Amino acid sequence: MKSDASENAGLDPSKLPAHVAVIMDGNGRWAKKRMLNRVKGHERGADTVRLVVRTSREIGIRYLTLYAFSTENWQRPEAEISALMTLLKRFLASEKQEMVENNIRLNTIGETDRLPADVRKALAQSKEATGANDGMCLTLALSYGGRAEIARAAREIAEAVKEGRMDPQEVTPQRLAEYMYTAQVPDPELLIRTSGEFRVSNFLLWQIAYTEIFVTPTLWPEFTRDEYIEILRDFGKRERRFGRIMS
Ligand code: FPP
């Protein structure tokens, strides 16, 4: 079913990225352009989340990671944070059944213990309901920051060394990767950022060392299935060298 779907979209399944990460930016600008409240932009953004999750699963993407709430987002006005949390809860409630039926496993990265109790509960329920699924892993980055993630890994390693469970010589990139939230997830091969900003914004700093980056000017609420497929097609044409020379 998966390869059929990617062939239908005119994509070569062998050239698809296994892991796509997305910085979903531009909800606020979308709303401002229409003289609407920023929350309206996030509401439309949540619809795009549904579309991209569905399309990714249909095409055969194995891992999809979405930057839904950064550590910096806690500095936004209280009302906007609360609206984002409500949207997240609504998304989890409305998509739970679909995730179960479509063999999607829900995963999170970030300081999720900082989230409100009702959101944590909804996350726990969705994770529990989808835990055995292996069709696609949907990771929501929530209260996530790349530097905080690296600091957390360093802290855990320091503890291990202090307690004599690890030798400093063992601290290699491979071992460090095991201390990241993403220990069980391969590095993303493609990072998409909407709304035209050429920034990484503290997202997956460790994991994107060799990731292909695609920036589109489209605002997240206006991002379409067709544009997503075009980006995947473009990815298939890029030559990935990982610092080597290809003959
Ligand atoms: C950026 O828009 C987006 C966010 C801060 C978070 C992304 C949230 C959603 C897509 C909605 C809900 C999420 C889920 C998972 C249901 P921005 O406000 O930074 O836009 P701007 O840069 O134009 O102001």
Side-chain angles (χ1 to χ4, degrees):
M1 166 232 157
K2 279 183 285 163
S3 60
D4 281 359
S6 46
E7 276 157 22
N8 287 344
L11 294 164
D12 177 348
S14 72
K15 290 188 172 158
L16 281 177
H19 184 178
V20 177
V22 188
I23 300 178
M24 313 182 283
D25 194 17
N27 294 347
R29 270 161 285 175
W30 181 90
K32 195 172 176 198
K33 261 192 356 190
R34 288 163 180 76
M35 308 227 287
L36 296 169
N37 186 290
R38 295 176 57 81
V39 172
K40 286 277 168 230
H42 294 314
E43 282 172 18
R44 290 297 288 261
D47 292 340
T48 311
V49 171
R50 289 186 182 88
L51 173 84
V52 167
V53 170
R54 213 161 284 164
T55 305
S56 301
R57 173 67 186 114
E58 187 194 312
I59 281 169
I61 301 297
R62 300 305 308 271
Y63 298 87
L64 175 68
T65 301
L66 304 176
Y67 204 4
F69 195 86
S70 69
T71 43
E72 291 73 25
N73 287 155
W74 288 116
Q75 286 152 32
R76 292 198 176 190
E78 184 58 41
E80 185 172 342
I81 295 174
S82 141
L84 280 167
M85 294 301 148
T86 303
L87 277 175
L88 182 58
K89 258 192 311 177
R90 216 181 281 164
F91 171 83
L92 292 169
S94 70
E95 300 310 291
K96 188 157 96 185
Q97 198 48 35
E98 184 160 335
M99 287 195 281
V100 170
E101 282 164 16
N102 289 319
N103 200 13
I104 297 173
R105 182 167 69 86
L106 180 73
N107 178 40
T108 55
I109 55 173
E111 297 165 345
T112 48
D113 51 348
R114 290 180 68 185
L115 298 169
D118 53 352
V119 173
R120 291 203 308 269
K121 189 170 164 203
L123 283 170
Q125 284 170 347
S126 289
K127 282 187 189 179
E128 163 81 26
T130 64
N133 292 351
D134 60 2
M136 180 175 89
C137 173
L138 167 65
T139 300
L140 297 180
L142 293 167
S143 190
Y144 174 85
R147 286 185 171 178
E149 178 183 33
I150 294 169
R152 174 178 168 271
R155 214 159 39 236
E156 286 187 15
I157 289 173
E159 289 288 344
V161 170
K162 191 172 144 198
E163 290 166 12
R165 287 183 281 117
M166 197 193 270
D167 187 284
Q169 295 305 318
E170 288 176 56
V171 187
T172 59
Q174 287 74 19
R175 284 307 297 277
L176 234 149
E178 292 168 16
Y179 285 82
M180 299 292 163
Y181 292 120
T182 49
Q184 309 298 326
V185 175
D187 289 344
E189 288 153 283
L190 173 64
L191 170 66
I192 300 172
R193 179 167 190 149
T194 58
S195 103
E197 237 75 66
F198 287 81
R199 281 196 292 274
V200 174
S201 298
N202 205 13
F203 190 42
L204 301 177
L205 295 182
W206 172 266
Q207 297 84 350
I208 59 171
Y210 291 102
T211 301
E212 294 290 325
I213 301 181
F214 197 104
V215 176
T216 167
T218 306
L219 304 175
W220 180 250
E222 290 171 338
F223 190 69
T224 61
R225 176 190 160 88
D226 283 355
E227 182 167 11
Y228 185 26
I229 288 167
E230 265 322 300
I231 293 172
L232 292 171
R233 200 187 315 282
D234 181 89
F235 171 85
K237 292 184 200 143
R238 291 191 190 185
E239 187 190 0
R240 306 189 66 220
R241 292 201 299 267
F242 304 95
R244 299 185 303 251
I245 296 169
M246 295 305 197
S247 51

